[in-house]
Amino acid sequence: MPKHVLVLNGPNLNMLGIREPKTYGSQTLGDIEAMCKAEGKRLKLSVECRQTNREGELVEWIQGAYGKVDGIVINPAGYSHTSVAIRDAISAVAIPTIEVHLSNIHAREEFRHFSYVSAVAVGVICGLGAAGYRLALEALAERLGD
Ligand code: CA2
């Protein structure tokens, strides 16, 4: 059975490719999800992608992953900087999770420098654009093994 990985994207990431290409790149969320699926095939991972603008929905998806999912890649977007609830959900399910940000959050406004999620993630990738998702999947595949 291939390992199952959830790729979760948080609020406003459905706007990718439509506005702010200088900060977030010109790829749409659909492009990024297609890249994740293709990378999953290459790495022999089963990859499922979801996006929501709602914090509670992210919490429910993370809880629902318990016992079913082997790894999570998450870009919590704005909730990175505010959500104890998402952090607690990741901590509760104890599924290896990699946090991804398209932009370098440390080179931006001070309020973006801290992420509640980072301490419960096995790793964090930021500033590498859409490639960050691909690299996160590669890291998870290596960590999860066959
Ligand atoms: O760099 C990232 O991936 C972020 O997680 C993106 C979030 C931001 O709040 C984080 O600090 C860093 C924002 C996502 C908003 O996406 C947009 C896409 C196109 C146009 C406007 C916003």
Side-chain angles (χ1 to χ4, degrees):
M1 277 268 282
K3 303 283 184 190
H4 189 48
V5 174
L6 261 187
V7 176
L8 300 180
N9 280 293
N12 298 307
L13 289 165
N14 53 315
M15 300 289 285
L16 284 175
I18 301 167
R19 291 197 56 247
E20 300 189 37
K22 282 206 180 103
T23 308
Y24 299 121
S26 56
Q27 285 182 285
T28 65
L29 183 62
D31 295 335
I32 291 175
E33 290 181 343
M35 181 195 69
C36 288
K37 292 262 184 194
E39 187 65 3
K41 257 197 186 138
R42 191 180 77 77
L43 296 164
K44 299 186 174 55
L45 295 173
S46 132
V47 171
E48 185 183 342
C49 302
R50 299 185 197 163
Q51 186 273 335
T52 180
N53 291 323
R54 294 193 290 276
E55 182 178 15
E57 193 157 36
L58 280 170
V59 169
E60 282 167 9
W61 286 345
I62 294 162
Q63 286 184 11
Y66 182 68
K68 296 185 187 136
V69 165
D70 301 294
I72 296 174
V73 174
I74 186 168
N75 183 345
Y79 291 139
S80 317
H81 319 299
T82 63
S83 182
V84 175
I86 292 171
R87 174 197 178 118
D88 286 347
I90 293 168
S91 178
V93 297
I95 297 169
T97 296
I98 299 187
E99 178 184 0
V100 171
H101 298 282
L102 293 155
S103 63
N104 180 354
I105 55 175
H106 303 290
R108 300 184 63 194
E109 303 96 321
E110 183 108 34
F111 68 84
R112 296 187 202 274
H113 296 184
F114 175 78
S115 164
Y116 281 97
V117 171
S118 299
V120 294
V122 296
V124 182
I125 298 171
C126 79
L128 302 180
Y133 291 83
R134 189 168 42 73
L135 295 167
L137 286 169
E138 200 175 325
L140 269 183
E142 195 172 312
R143 190 183 173 94
L144 297 172
D146 288 328

